[in-house]
Amino acid sequence: MAVIHHWENWGLHTCYVGFNTGEELLSAALEVSGDPRFDQINYLIGDWSGSESSNITMEDVQKLASYIEAFSRSNSNILHPSVLPEGESRQAMVALYAMLTEDIPWTVTWFDTLEEARAWIESELATV
């Protein structure tokens, strides 16, 4: 798996490429949370458009949601869209993730394209 983090002026665009596993997903999340830039970002895009397949379990999603709950304590103002262009299993996993994170202060949602996610972020940040 390749997880590529693109740090931007006000956020982070994380791209998942190739075959992705739950263990690597969790490791990438921990890596980001330990970066000093994390406390200053306004958005975090999880972009799965380059992922060809994945082996991510419900337990992995539950663990990720626990991580995110902890991360939200250091930065509570994050817009967190995921980009999931196709695949019912991926959409089911992100729906589970959204449900598990509904009580945190982050805004978690998903889109079919990166362009839609970026337009939503721009719209949301314009109202702040």
Side-chain angles (χ1 to χ4, degrees):
M1 165 178 108
V3 177
I4 304 163
H5 299 298
H6 300 284
W7 290 95
E8 301 173 352
N9 288 339
W10 302 106
L12 175 63
H13 176 203
T14 297
C15 301
Y16 300 91
V17 181
F19 178 76
N20 308 109
T21 68
E23 182 180 316
E24 293 163 321
L25 171 71
L26 296 169
S27 177
L30 289 173
E31 177 184 330
V32 166
S33 71
D35 191 296
R37 294 172 286 188
F38 179 79
D39 293 338
Q40 305 304 314
I41 63 173
N42 294 332
Y43 62 86
L44 192 165
I45 302 170
D47 185 354
W48 293 86
S49 59
S51 176
E52 296 169 11
S53 63
S54 60
N55 182 16
I56 298 171
T57 66
M58 287 178 56
E59 291 78 18
D60 295 328
V61 175
Q62 291 170 326
K63 194 176 283 188
L64 179 61
S66 295
Y67 288 2
I68 296 301
E69 182 180 355
F71 301 164
S72 73
R73 292 183 190 130
S74 71
N75 184 343
S76 61
N77 299 313
I78 291 183
L79 301 172
H80 186 30
S82 292
V83 177
L84 297 153
E86 58 185 60
E88 286 182 30
S89 64
R90 287 189 208 155
Q91 291 175 353
M93 289 297 178
V94 82
L96 173 63
Y97 175 73
M99 182 190 75
L100 292 171
T101 57
E102 66 187 5
D103 291 332
I104 68 168
W106 292 12
T107 305
V108 177
T109 190
W110 65 91
F111 296 93
D112 293 330
T113 68
L114 179 59
E115 292 77 20
E116 292 171 333
R118 288 198 181 276
W120 174 76
I121 290 167
E122 187 175 313
S123 171
E124 292 294 310
L125 291 178
T127 63
V128 175

